[in-house]
Amino acid sequence: MGEWRLFSVGGTAFNIDATWLVIFAVVTWTTATSLIPRRLIEASVAAGVPPDATWPMIWAAGVVTSLLFFGSIVAHEAAHTVVAVRTGIPVRSIRLFIFGGLAEMDREPDRPRQELAITVVGPLTSAALGGLFLALGDQMEATSLPSITARWLGEMNLALAVFNLLPGFPLDGGRILRSIVWALTGDVVRGTRVASFVGSALGVAIMAFGLIQFLLLGSALQSLWIVVIGWFLWSAARSGYRHAVLRQQLHRYRIRDLLKPESGAVPSDGTVQEFIERGLYQDRFGLRPVVDAAGKLIGMLEGDDVRDVPLEQRVYTVLRDIARPVDLMVVVAPDDQLSVVIDKAYETDRRFFFVVEEGRVLGTVDAVDVVNTLRARKQ
Ligand SMILES: [Zn+2]
């Protein structure tokens, strides 16, 4: 919603959020009406020459500056993306929105080293761009528009590197802090907890700073913006923590941990008559695995499949003959993640899934158990 896809590269879409237009307009407006004219005058006074630029030129410089500024943010996110993809984590999209950019990774890193590598390249890219723009600005006539905008872009990129290195999750600095605690303790949830706590504290501190600045200086717009950024960090740290813990629970448990041995399996050489005499068509196993003498899964049976066999044929019809093919949607592996059960439960509307390893039915897993496990462990 309110998001446009500009292009995609190697499976990663590049999207622009509607809120981004607001910030683009604000940056263009601020640079063209105040920042560039002010710096132009300062530079001209310092050089002892009259300012030499027309308003259309200044506005054009403002637009170009905004575009390059957002290009810098994209470069920062692209750096995260390249390392993430190289280390095996697909990145669905890079999104530009009102608070900057976001590389949306499909999953969290598996190892602290991987998280560290994915994270540090972002601020490093911003710092490198900052140095590049500053050097570029120094190479040109100090009173020229290109020099003024290049210097500003240099400063902004350095500021971006520093801001992102603040040690609160979900900022890059917070992710770095998390990876360090994670590496030291071997516990990603603890790392997330520490980094999120610092992140919320940081958010509160930034909000307080914005308020104090407003009270002392009375610069309403800038102070309000600082407060909004603080609030954004605070809420992102809190929800980021909840998501990280939930995702971690999904990763920590395997289906094997919730396995129940009974599967309702029936022998493939049993007859329909035996099946009915044992009342097997009316218990909780709506669907049953049919296994051969070696315990291998050869098919599945629904209660109706049995009832549809004419009375006079039930004595000599064996289950193997009426079994339907194995439906992979109701089968899971013991080492699958719990999320597999949730996904399949959504798609099939089933509650019980057969846990099968190397063709053998080990038992069942109940989607309700999966949900309860996740709910109980969520802190
Ligand atoms: Zn970053």
Side-chain angles (χ1 to χ4, degrees), residues 70-82 94 101 103 118-127 129 157 160-161 164-165 172:
F70 288 106
S72 303
I73 292 175
V74 172
H76 175 116
E77 299 305 328
H80 289 313
T81 302
V82 168
I94 294 178
I118 293 170
T119 308
V120 291
V121 292
L124 281 181
T125 302
S126 295
L129 277 174
N157 270 291
L160 217 59
N164 274 291
L165 283 173
D172 291 338

Side-chain angles (χ1 to χ4, degrees), residues 152-181:
W152 183 78
L153 285 165
E155 293 164 17
M156 288 311 284
N157 270 291
L158 290 183
L160 217 59
V162 172
F163 177 72
N164 274 291
L165 283 173
L166 291 175
F169 190 82
L171 291 176
D172 291 338
R175 287 185 168 274
I176 291 171
L177 174 63
R178 171 166 88 161
S179 67
I180 291 169
V181 177

Side-chain angles (χ1 to χ4, degrees), residues 311-330:
L311 260 173
E312 65 280 8
Q313 293 176 16
R314 288 179 178 176
V315 181
Y316 53 86
T317 303
V318 289
L319 300 177
R320 183 193 310 122
D321 297 335
I322 58 166
R324 44 177 86 197
V326 174
D327 177 3
L328 289 178
M329 278 313 287
V330 301

Side-chain angles (χ1 to χ4, degrees), residues 13-85:
F14 179 74
N15 297 335
I16 282 187
D17 192 285
T19 59
W20 174 80
L21 291 177
V22 176
I23 200 74
F24 184 80
V26 169
V27 172
T28 305
W29 172 266
T30 321
T31 46
T33 61
S34 109
L35 189 118
I36 296 176
R38 182 160 46 81
R39 294 208 172 178
L40 182 63
I41 290 167
E42 281 168 7
S44 303
V45 168
V49 294
D52 177 28
T54 62
W55 279 111
M57 283 162 67
I58 290 176
W59 272 97
V63 172
V64 171
T65 307
S66 280
L67 287 174
L68 286 174
F69 176 56
F70 288 106
S72 303
I73 292 175
V74 172
H76 175 116
E77 299 305 328
H80 289 313
T81 302
V82 168
V83 180
V85 170

Side-chain angles (χ1 to χ4, degrees), residues 84-368:
V85 170
R86 288 223 169 157
T87 58
I89 300 180
V91 177
R92 219 168 300 169
S93 64
I94 294 178
R95 188 158 73 95
L96 277 193
F97 68 125
I98 193 159
F99 295 111
L102 187 68
E104 293 175 315
M105 293 189 275
D106 270 9
R107 59 185 174 82
E108 292 282 299
D110 307 313
R111 305 176 306 278
R113 237 171 224 281
Q114 186 184 22
E115 166 139 76
L116 187 65
I118 293 170
T119 308
V120 291
V121 292
L124 281 181
T125 302
S126 295
L129 277 174
L132 202 71
F133 276 121
L134 284 182
L136 210 63
D138 279 346
Q139 290 301 305
M140 295 178 288
E141 192 68 54
T143 55
S144 68
L145 287 178
S147 169
I148 288 167
T149 56
R151 280 165 196 271
W152 183 78
L153 285 165
E155 293 164 17
M156 288 311 284
N157 270 291
L158 290 183
L160 217 59
V162 172
F163 177 72
N164 274 291
L165 283 173
L166 291 175
F169 190 82
L171 291 176
D172 291 338
R175 287 185 168 274
I176 291 171
L177 174 63
R178 171 166 88 161
S179 67
I180 291 169
V181 177
W182 180 5
L184 291 178
T185 63
D187 184 348
V188 65
V189 175
R190 184 180 293 181
T192 309
R193 190 179 298 141
V194 170
S196 302
F197 175 75
V198 178
S200 334
L202 200 65
V204 171
I206 290 174
M207 281 190 273
F209 176 76
L211 279 176
I212 292 168
Q213 194 195 43
F214 175 70
L215 293 175
L216 293 183
L217 301 176
S219 65
L221 187 66
Q222 198 194 343
S223 307
L224 179 70
W225 187 239
I226 290 174
V227 171
V228 169
I229 287 180
W231 173 82
F232 169 72
L233 273 185
W234 177 77
S235 64
R238 290 171 61 87
S239 71
Y241 175 63
R242 284 195 296 271
H243 281 129
V245 169
L246 186 63
R247 212 176 295 131
Q248 195 48 38
Q249 299 300 349
L250 278 168
H251 281 273
R252 181 180 290 175
Y253 292 91
R254 298 284 152 164
I255 285 169
R256 192 186 292 282
D257 302 319
L258 297 177
L259 177 75
K260 294 236 175 70
E262 69 273 18
S263 66
V266 288
S268 59
D269 55 358
T271 65
V272 170
Q273 185 64 35
E274 287 164 348
F275 189 95
I276 289 173
E277 278 169 5
R278 285 163 63 193
L280 295 181
Y281 56 88
Q282 55 192 6
D283 60 7
R284 74 180 171 94
F285 294 101
L287 186 71
R288 293 172 170 277
V290 177
V291 296
D292 66 13
K296 295 258 182 195
L297 178 67
I298 63 146
M300 292 182 171
L301 265 188
E302 202 100 61
D304 284 345
D305 301 336
V306 176
R307 260 170 303 197
D308 289 346
V309 178
L311 260 173
E312 65 280 8
Q313 293 176 16
R314 288 179 178 176
V315 181
Y316 53 86
T317 303
V318 289
L319 300 177
R320 183 193 310 122
D321 297 335
I322 58 166
R324 44 177 86 197
V326 174
D327 177 3
L328 289 178
M329 278 313 287
V330 301
V331 168
V332 294
D335 290 321
D336 278 346
Q337 288 173 2
L338 297 188
S339 56
V340 172
V341 173
I342 298 208
D343 291 344
K344 289 195 169 179
Y346 260 113
E347 279 183 53
T348 59
D349 253 345
R350 282 184 177 279
R351 176 172 165 183
F352 296 99
F353 295 86
F354 301 114
V355 183
V356 176
E357 188 175 41
E358 290 169 3
R360 285 169 185 284
V361 183
L362 302 183
T364 51
V365 62
D366 183 345
V368 173

